[in-house]
């Protein structure tokens, strides 16, 4: 029996995979597979910065996303009972269920074949010719498809590359884990347009309104401390309390967690296989850049895939792009993570920002620097 054959199989319909699929639709048969029941939500702070919005504009989705979310205007930092803020206009907060749904719908409208509730695992290279064999598991029924190009965009803990040698992720020893949930937008939480970041000694929590009714809550926690204090719900309340934020009742909120956040993948490419988004490596969410990394990577990879279809080996080009454009920014994010582990330093910085406008101006400049455009990330869909 002959296997189904696709020019591209994209694994994971998060922002990296769905944006890649939408961008390369039209350049051949594209299959996008997603393990979850669709649409799904995801643990995320839901803040799109200017670089992420530029990628969405290239896909023709910026206006629709802006209309579905809430414009961001400022950031308020809270630590050790002190508070300070700075302007951060130009971003949008939007629920991941909505955003990822719009991206997938855009790809499907352009001819992408989308299959939800389907987990993929790369089995190995095709015995004859270029490309890979990919096993798809859906409702107890497994089948193998052939892929000319595989895009592994299965997030932090997807496992689609577990059978391939040399791709194992390395998790940073003192990594924190992510938590999040959606609350009813209520009095006492952040004002519309405000991103509130509450920092404690053992974790931090961000809150932002993503629409008139909902506040997204997301953060990172020390796993050992969370266990000691009685679990993620108690830990989130303790971080908000320590930072001096208004307390909230998390009683009915479904809190979800992630795997350990800070990780690197030993390899991010092989011939006809590229690893995109969080699957290629992640640090921590404090700077709110993860989706911009994923979108810019998807854009650069679409261009490389087009040149690959003209016979160019794209594996080396992708590894170089990822090291130059994403890992370099992740190093900066790693430095900020180091500062956040020193509560006395954070408390002092927030106090200074509250008193000295130039210090708040410096924080705004740093935030703007994180939004600078990515080389080769300004992509034009096929
Ligand atoms: C607490 C927290 C807050 C954050 N806040 C922000 C923020 O405010 N702004 C920002 O820009 N970024 C933020 N991020 C980062 C952002 O969420 C990620 O960087 C982004 O979602 C990466 O997209 P992705 O497509 O690589 O992965 P994901 O969005 O995780 O998508 C991967 C998809 O692959 C699917 N999948 C997994 N395995 C398989 C398989 N074997 N087969 C098929 N499908 C599979 C999963 O179900 C999932 O849908 C935050 C992250 C965390 C943890």
């Amino acid at each position: 029996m002959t296997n189904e054959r696709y020019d591209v199989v994209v694994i994971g319909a998060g922002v990296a995979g769905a944006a890649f699929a939408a961008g390369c639709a039209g350049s051949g048969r594209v299959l996008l597979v997603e393990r979850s029941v669709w649409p799904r939500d995801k643990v995320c702070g839901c803040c799109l910065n200017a670089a992420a919005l530029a990628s969405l504009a290239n896909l023709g989705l910026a206006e629709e996303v802006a209309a579905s979310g809430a414009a961001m205007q400022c950031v308020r930092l809270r630590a050790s009972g002190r508070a300070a803020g700075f302007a951060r206009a130009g971003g949008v907060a939007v629920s991941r269920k909505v955003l990822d749904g719009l991206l997938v719908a855009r790809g499907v409208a352009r001819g992408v074949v989308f299959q939800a509730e389907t987990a993929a695992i790369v089995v190995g290279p095709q015995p004859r010719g270029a490309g890979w064999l990919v096993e798809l598991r859906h409702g107890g029924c497994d089948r193998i498809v052939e892929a000319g190009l595989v895009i592994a965009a299965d997030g932090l803990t997807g496992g689609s590359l577990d059978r391939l040698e040399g791709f194992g992720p390395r998790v940073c020893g003192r990594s924190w884990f992510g938590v999040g949930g959606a609350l009813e937008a209520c009095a006492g939480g952040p004002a519309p347009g405000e991103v509130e970041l509450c920092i404690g000694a053992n974790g931090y929590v961000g809150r932002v309104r993503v629409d008139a009714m909902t506040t997204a809550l997301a953060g990172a926690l020390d796993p050992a401390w969370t266990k000691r204090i009685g679990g993620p719900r108690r830990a989130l309340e303790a971080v908000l309390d320590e930072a001096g934020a208004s307390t909230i009742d998390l009683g009915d909120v479904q809190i979800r967690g992630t795997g350990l956040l800070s990780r690197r993948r030993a390899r991010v490419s092989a011939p006809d296989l590229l690893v995109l988004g969080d699957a290629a490596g992640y640090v921590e969410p404090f700077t709110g850049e993860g989706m911009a990394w994923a979108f810019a990577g998807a854009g650069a990879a679409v261009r490389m895939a087009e040149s690959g279809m003209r016979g160019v080996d794209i594996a080396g080009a992708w590894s170089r792009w990822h090291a130059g454009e994403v890992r370099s920014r992740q190093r900066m994010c790693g430095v900020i993570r180091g500062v956040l582990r020193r509560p006395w330093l954070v408390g002092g910085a927030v106090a200074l920002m509250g008193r000295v406008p130039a210090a708040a101006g410096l924080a705004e400049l740093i935030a703007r620097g994180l939004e600078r455009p990515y080389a080769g990330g300004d992509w034009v869909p096929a």
Side-chain angles (χ1 to χ4, degrees):
M1 198 176 79
T2 330
N3 295 321
E4 279 167 74
R5 190 179 158 76
Y6 292 90
D7 296 295
V8 187
V9 171
V10 183
I11 304 174
V15 287
F20 180 92
C24 85
S27 325
R29 286 192 81 203
V30 181
L31 173 68
L32 171 64
V33 290
E34 165 58 46
R35 183 170 65 179
S36 310
V37 175
W38 199 258
R40 60 103 180 88
D41 223 328
K42 172 187 181 307
V43 173
C44 187
C46 302
C47 295
L48 291 162
N49 69 14
L53 286 170
S55 298
L56 282 166
N58 285 327
L59 273 173
L61 278 175
E63 281 175 20
E64 216 171 326
V65 169
S68 311
M72 285 158 48
Q73 279 144 17
C74 62
V75 173
R76 180 157 306 279
L77 298 171
R78 293 187 191 278
S80 311
R82 300 170 179 127
F86 57 88
R88 198 180 174 191
V92 167
V94 62
S95 118
R96 286 296 299 271
K97 194 184 261 184
V98 171
L99 174 66
D100 297 16
L102 286 171
L103 286 164
V104 168
R106 178 53 49 108
V108 169
R110 290 182 171 167
V112 171
V113 179
F114 175 56
Q115 287 178 16
E117 297 172 58
T118 304
I121 187 151
V122 181
V123 178
Q126 289 193 40
R128 289 178 302 279
W132 296 86
L133 296 175
V134 181
E135 188 177 299
L136 303 182
R137 297 176 178 169
H138 172 82
C141 178
D142 299 353
R143 70 188 207 276
I144 302 275
V145 297
E146 294 176 15
L149 172 68
V150 168
I151 299 294
D154 52 342
L156 278 179
T157 54
S160 72
L161 302 178
D162 285 358
R163 288 199 204 159
L164 302 190
E165 238 175 77
F167 280 88
R170 278 175 289 177
V171 178
C172 163
R174 289 170 304 139
S175 177
W176 287 358
F177 72 105
V179 278
L183 332 171
E184 271 177 36
C186 54
E194 179 180 289
V195 181
E196 185 192 48
L197 292 170
C198 304
I199 307 157
N202 299 288
Y204 51 85
V205 188
R207 293 194 284 183
V208 66
R209 291 201 187 180
V210 290
D211 57 42
M213 307 296 292
T214 323
T215 296
L217 175 90
L221 299 171
D222 178 334
W225 173 75
T226 302
K227 205 170 167 187
R228 278 202 305 277
I229 200 169
R233 199 177 298 272
R234 177 71 203 101
L236 284 169
E237 287 165 351
V239 171
L240 289 169
D241 195 40
E242 182 186 348
S246 61
T247 44
I248 40 172
D249 181 7
L250 293 177
D252 294 334
V253 179
Q254 193 196 353
I255 302 291
R256 290 181 299 141
T258 70
L260 294 173
L261 295 165
S262 297
R263 54 181 67 217
R264 260 183 85 160
R265 177 100 49 186
R267 285 179 76 181
V268 295
S269 69
D272 305 313
L273 188 155
L274 308 181
V275 190
L276 259 61
D278 284 6
Y282 189 65
V283 185
E284 264 186 33
F286 188 80
T287 57
E289 291 175 276
M291 290 191 278
W293 295 333
F295 277 127
V302 166
R303 291 198 172 174
M304 289 174 199
E306 284 165 356
S307 54
M309 284 167 195
R310 295 194 298 270
V312 178
D313 171 25
I314 58 175
W318 172 250
S319 297
R320 283 191 297 279
W321 186 90
H322 189 264
E325 291 296 321
V326 177
R327 279 215 178 121
S328 57
R329 294 174 198 241
Q330 289 180 340
R331 275 194 286 278
M332 179 60 177
C333 191
V335 170
I336 292 171
R337 176 187 56 190
V339 173
L340 292 170
R341 301 293 196 268
R342 291 166 177 77
W344 57 270
L345 194 54
V346 179
V350 172
L352 187 68
M353 282 169 61
R355 280 201 301 268
V356 183
L362 181 64
E364 187 183 343
L365 270 182
I366 294 171
R368 284 201 186 289
L370 300 173
E371 297 179 357
R372 69 190 187 280
Y374 294 74
D378 53 334
W379 47 309
V380 182

